[in-house]
Amino acid sequence: MRRTTLAAALSAAVALTAAVAMPTAEAAPHGALRPALDAKPFQSPLTSTAPPVTRTLSPGVTLTTYTFGKKNADDFWTVHVYLPAESGGPVNRATTELGPKDTADRVAQALREKGFEPRVEEVRSPAYADLEAGTLGWTVRLGGFAERPDATAELAKVKAAGFTGDTRYTAQDGTDFRAPEKVNVIRVDFRRFQGKVDTEFGPTLHGTEPATDLIARAGAIAGINGQWFYNDAPGGFYVKDGKVLASATQGRGAIIITKGGRNVRVDALKAHISLQTPGGAIEEIDGVNRFPGDVWNCGGVGGDTPTEKPQHDFECTDPSELVRFTPEWGTPPKGAGAEAVLDADDQVVAVNSSRGAAVPAGGSTIQAIGDSADWLLGHVHVGDELGISTRVSDSYGRPVPLTRDTTIMQVGPTLVRHGKVSVNALADGIIRFGADQSFTYDWTNRANPRSMMGVDKQGRLMLAVVDGRQAGYSEGLSIAWTAALMKQLGAEEALNLDGGGSSVMATAADGVINRPSDSSGERSLGDAWVIKP
């Protein structure tokens, strides 16, 4: 919760700006749609190397498996040598995967002095809807091997010489549209399908379940993974049947469905929840159903450090927060601070000087830490009827009504909007602030398993999974190519879901139908999208 002076806020903004080392950003005006600035990467579609195979799961619900690309003789395993975070830092403790060219040149020269023959390679970042194309950084690699064990043996020599690194398969660099890809797409045609598309989580929000269990729990035909999850709970704005179940990451992409999936749109959302006392005091609620002070993906309503901007898979903190817990969460966390216990009519039935009370049926608790705890104890009293209001707006500033048939899942980034490739990479936080762009390189630029959701021109809902990290079978896609694929498959609107080892598609009849990348197989999830008959 924001409790800083203007001078402190300006100081923090200056410090953050100074830390950014990225290509020049040219942000689109608020709410404006702009396709990727450099359309060249999307002019070469993925090429089918086998006829797609389609089968019917239920009237109006089909599953199509696509095979794109093929293993190329030019693809090989290589040793990827890490760079020190600081230009003069020691190479034997280096952890960053790419960096400035002078740092890469220094490490390459040190390798040559040890008898190796390294390559210094530029990594380019493609253009996005809110960011121009540019150089992301430079990597150092050496050797080219047909099999991974040979690259692993070379890596051992590199480490013995005092360097750090890993092995990489070049087809997974995220730049080769000819690489092999296995894609599964479920399409739901509501002209024939009489059921609904919905979301599902386990017995409580605070806990994870495999997709197959979530599908069985919902009595669904099929499903796909949903949001990211942190501390065993969904991360990002989550609305089910019009009720807010998880906090918003301000400005991140979301998919909004009504009428059981018959109306679908993709947009970037902001959400603000406020609490008003009978005495007229108003305070913003920082979060819903998450641990107070722990702001994964950042983008909170104020006071988050080190940034209030979205940063994917990054943990921000806030020492002063109000967080609301609903019955769906399960048992609220215990700890220092204060809390108000509210019944189903938002009337205060207890005020406690510590946290952890059970949530009444149909009611909620408001937990507070730091200065917010002092505020709650000073303004909220037993018997008070509190006013709790929620305001959700889209990227144009228009209100988004939360009706009983509204479901919203904030994930991202956006991939396709109004039929055009449109990835809001900077605003969505998939471009890392700071000099170390290893996250951006690995998560955004390189090929990974991905899950997507969208709608085509015919109004058919699309659930898609591309497998990845499986050399020669399916390499995965970069975010840019994920957007290109969804457009190629006919999406008018599309959004990226959680991916990596979480990417899973399953049916009630067959179980998991794709090949998840985790060696242990299907991963437990925070929530999932399900198709109910």
Side-chain angles (χ1 to χ4, degrees), residues 278-356:
I282 299 175
E283 200 77 343
E284 186 147 29
I285 294 177
D286 295 79
V288 178
N289 291 328
R290 67 164 172 79
F291 287 93
D294 195 16
V295 191
W296 274 99
N297 292 335
C298 307
V301 295
D304 301 352
T305 58
T307 178
E308 293 175 9
K309 296 180 181 295
Q311 283 286 272
H312 182 58
D313 269 355
F314 189 87
E315 183 181 16
C316 281
T317 59
D318 187 344
S320 174
E321 287 200 313
L322 294 176
V323 175
R324 188 184 195 194
F325 287 90
T326 69
E328 290 83 359
W329 170 268
T331 304
K334 298 180 182 296
E339 69 185 359
V341 181
L342 282 59
D343 66 14
D345 296 319
D346 292 335
Q347 186 171 28
V348 180
V349 297
V351 176
N352 302 321
S353 56
S354 62
R355 299 181 293 115

Side-chain angles (χ1 to χ4, degrees), residues 23 80 97-101 104-105 119-125 133-141 173 175 441 445:
H80 189 108
E97 299 181 33
L98 74 170
K101 190 171 186 303
D105 287 339
R119 309 179 302 274
V120 175
E121 299 177 349
E122 181 184 18
V123 176
R124 297 277 297 172
S125 184
T135 299
L136 188 66
W138 299 79
T139 63
V140 176
R141 289 178 167 182
D173 284 340
T175 56
Y441 173 55
N445 281 46

